[in-house]
Short mmCIF file of all heavy atoms in Angstrom, two decimals:
data_model
loop_
_atom_site.label_atom_id
_atom_site.label_comp_id
_atom_site.label_asym_id
_atom_site.label_seq_id
_atom_site.Cartn_x
_atom_site.Cartn_y
_atom_site.Cartn_z
N ALA A 695 -120.58 113.71 123.20
CA ALA A 695 -121.42 113.99 124.36
C ALA A 695 -122.45 112.89 124.52
O ALA A 695 -122.92 112.29 123.53
CB ALA A 695 -122.11 115.33 124.19
N PRO A 696 -122.77 112.54 125.81
CA PRO A 696 -122.37 113.18 127.05
C PRO A 696 -121.20 112.51 127.75
O PRO A 696 -121.00 112.74 128.95
CB PRO A 696 -123.64 113.03 127.92
CG PRO A 696 -124.16 111.70 127.49
CD PRO A 696 -123.89 111.59 126.04
N LYS A 697 -120.39 111.72 127.04
CA LYS A 697 -119.26 111.10 127.66
C LYS A 697 -118.20 112.14 128.09
O LYS A 697 -118.15 113.22 127.53
CB LYS A 697 -118.63 110.12 126.66
CG LYS A 697 -119.48 108.91 126.27
CD LYS A 697 -118.75 108.03 125.28
CE LYS A 697 -119.57 106.87 124.82
NZ LYS A 697 -118.83 106.03 123.85
N PRO A 698 -117.41 111.82 129.09
CA PRO A 698 -116.44 112.77 129.63
C PRO A 698 -115.30 113.05 128.65
O PRO A 698 -114.65 112.12 128.16
CB PRO A 698 -115.94 112.14 130.90
CG PRO A 698 -116.26 110.66 130.74
CD PRO A 698 -117.46 110.56 129.91
N GLN A 699 -115.04 114.35 128.44
CA GLN A 699 -113.92 114.74 127.60
C GLN A 699 -113.39 116.09 128.09
O GLN A 699 -114.11 116.93 128.61
CB GLN A 699 -114.25 114.78 126.13
CG GLN A 699 -115.15 115.90 125.67
CD GLN A 699 -115.33 115.97 124.15
OE1 GLN A 699 -114.35 115.82 123.42
NE2 GLN A 699 -116.55 116.18 123.69
N GLY A 700 -112.11 116.31 127.85
CA GLY A 700 -111.48 117.58 128.07
C GLY A 700 -110.74 118.04 126.84
O GLY A 700 -110.53 117.27 125.93
N MET A 701 -110.42 119.30 126.81
CA MET A 701 -109.68 119.84 125.67
C MET A 701 -108.84 121.01 126.11
O MET A 701 -109.09 121.57 127.21
CB MET A 701 -110.60 120.23 124.54
CG MET A 701 -111.75 121.15 124.91
SD MET A 701 -113.17 121.08 123.83
CE MET A 701 -113.78 119.43 124.11
N THR A 702 -107.90 121.44 125.32
CA THR A 702 -107.00 122.54 125.69
C THR A 702 -106.95 123.58 124.63
O THR A 702 -107.23 123.33 123.44
CB THR A 702 -105.56 122.04 125.94
OG1 THR A 702 -104.95 121.67 124.69
CG2 THR A 702 -105.53 120.85 126.88
N THR A 703 -106.56 124.78 125.03
CA THR A 703 -106.34 125.85 124.08
C THR A 703 -104.86 126.26 124.17
O THR A 703 -104.12 125.88 125.09
CB THR A 703 -107.21 127.09 124.40
OG1 THR A 703 -106.88 127.60 125.70
CG2 THR A 703 -108.67 126.74 124.33
N ALA A 704 -104.46 127.09 123.24
CA ALA A 704 -103.07 127.63 123.18
C ALA A 704 -103.12 128.97 122.44
O ALA A 704 -104.17 129.42 122.00
CB ALA A 704 -102.12 126.68 122.50
N ALA A 705 -101.99 129.58 122.33
CA ALA A 705 -101.90 130.82 121.58
C ALA A 705 -101.83 130.53 120.09
O ALA A 705 -100.85 130.80 119.43
CB ALA A 705 -100.66 131.65 122.04
N ASP A 706 -102.90 129.92 119.61
CA ASP A 706 -103.00 129.54 118.23
C ASP A 706 -104.46 129.70 117.82
O ASP A 706 -105.20 130.52 118.38
CB ASP A 706 -102.49 128.07 117.98
CG ASP A 706 -103.21 127.07 118.88
OD1 ASP A 706 -104.29 127.37 119.39
OD2 ASP A 706 -102.70 125.96 119.03
N TRP A 707 -104.95 128.92 116.83
CA TRP A 707 -106.33 129.04 116.39
C TRP A 707 -107.37 128.64 117.41
O TRP A 707 -108.57 128.88 117.19
CB TRP A 707 -106.49 128.22 115.09
CG TRP A 707 -106.05 126.77 115.29
CD1 TRP A 707 -106.77 125.74 115.74
CD2 TRP A 707 -104.74 126.29 115.05
NE1 TRP A 707 -106.02 124.59 115.79
CE2 TRP A 707 -104.76 124.90 115.33
CE3 TRP A 707 -103.57 126.83 114.55
CZ2 TRP A 707 -103.63 124.07 115.21
CZ3 TRP A 707 -102.44 125.99 114.43
CH2 TRP A 707 -102.52 124.64 114.75
N THR A 708 -106.94 128.04 118.53
CA THR A 708 -107.87 127.67 119.57
C THR A 708 -108.02 128.76 120.64
O THR A 708 -108.82 128.53 121.60
CB THR A 708 -107.42 126.35 120.24
OG1 THR A 708 -106.14 126.56 120.89
CG2 THR A 708 -107.27 125.23 119.22
N ARG A 709 -107.35 129.88 120.48
CA ARG A 709 -107.30 130.86 121.56
C ARG A 709 -108.65 131.41 121.97
O ARG A 709 -108.90 131.76 123.13
CB ARG A 709 -106.36 131.99 121.21
CG ARG A 709 -106.87 132.90 120.12
CD ARG A 709 -105.97 134.12 119.88
NE ARG A 709 -104.75 133.72 119.14
CZ ARG A 709 -103.53 133.93 119.65
NH1 ARG A 709 -103.36 134.49 120.81
NH2 ARG A 709 -102.49 133.56 118.93
N ALA A 710 -109.63 131.42 121.03
CA ALA A 710 -110.95 132.00 121.33
C ALA A 710 -111.96 130.95 121.75
O ALA A 710 -113.16 131.26 121.93
CB ALA A 710 -111.47 132.76 120.12
N MET A 711 -111.52 129.73 121.95
CA MET A 711 -112.45 128.64 122.25
C MET A 711 -113.29 128.90 123.52
O MET A 711 -114.46 128.48 123.58
CB MET A 711 -111.72 127.30 122.39
CG MET A 711 -112.52 126.10 122.61
SD MET A 711 -113.63 125.72 121.23
CE MET A 711 -114.45 124.24 121.83
N ALA A 712 -112.75 129.58 124.47
CA ALA A 712 -113.48 129.83 125.76
C ALA A 712 -114.74 130.62 125.53
O ALA A 712 -115.72 130.48 126.26
CB ALA A 712 -112.55 130.53 126.73
N THR A 713 -114.79 131.49 124.51
CA THR A 713 -115.95 132.28 124.23
C THR A 713 -116.66 131.88 122.92
O THR A 713 -117.82 132.25 122.74
CB THR A 713 -115.58 133.77 124.16
OG1 THR A 713 -114.55 133.97 123.13
CG2 THR A 713 -115.03 134.26 125.48
N LYS A 714 -115.98 131.18 122.06
CA LYS A 714 -116.53 130.77 120.79
C LYS A 714 -116.35 129.26 120.63
O LYS A 714 -115.31 128.79 120.25
CB LYS A 714 -115.88 131.51 119.62
CG LYS A 714 -116.12 132.99 119.60
CD LYS A 714 -115.41 133.62 118.39
CE LYS A 714 -115.65 135.11 118.33
NZ LYS A 714 -114.96 135.73 117.12
N GLY A 715 -117.39 128.56 120.94
CA GLY A 715 -117.35 127.10 120.78
C GLY A 715 -117.57 126.34 122.07
O GLY A 715 -118.49 125.50 122.13
N PHE A 716 -116.79 126.65 123.06
CA PHE A 716 -116.95 125.86 124.33
C PHE A 716 -118.27 126.17 125.03
O PHE A 716 -118.90 125.27 125.56
CB PHE A 716 -115.79 126.11 125.28
CG PHE A 716 -115.83 125.22 126.46
CD1 PHE A 716 -115.57 123.86 126.41
CD2 PHE A 716 -116.18 125.75 127.73
CE1 PHE A 716 -115.64 123.05 127.51
CE2 PHE A 716 -116.29 124.94 128.82
CZ PHE A 716 -116.00 123.58 128.71
N PRO A 717 -118.71 127.45 125.10
CA PRO A 717 -120.02 127.71 125.76
C PRO A 717 -121.13 126.89 125.12
O PRO A 717 -122.02 126.37 125.82
CB PRO A 717 -120.19 129.21 125.61
CG PRO A 717 -118.83 129.75 125.48
CD PRO A 717 -118.07 128.71 124.71
N GLU A 718 -121.11 126.76 123.81
CA GLU A 718 -122.15 125.99 123.10
C GLU A 718 -122.00 124.50 123.37
O GLU A 718 -122.99 123.76 123.52
CB GLU A 718 -122.07 126.26 121.62
CG GLU A 718 -122.46 127.70 121.19
CD GLU A 718 -121.33 128.71 121.43
OE1 GLU A 718 -120.20 128.31 121.69
OE2 GLU A 718 -121.62 129.92 121.35
#
């Protein structure tokens, strides 16, 4: 940060990223 980046989730260990991790 603050450089531009994106990331993805899947039906794996990243599935909760939208509520745990990404908001922060």
Side-chain angles (χ1 to χ4, degrees):
K697 294 180 183 179
Q699 72 173 317
M701 54 203 66
T702 70
T703 63
D706 55 18
W707 52 88
T708 63
R709 70 175 74 238
M711 183 65 180
T713 58
K714 295 181 179 180
F716 186 73
E718 293 78 13

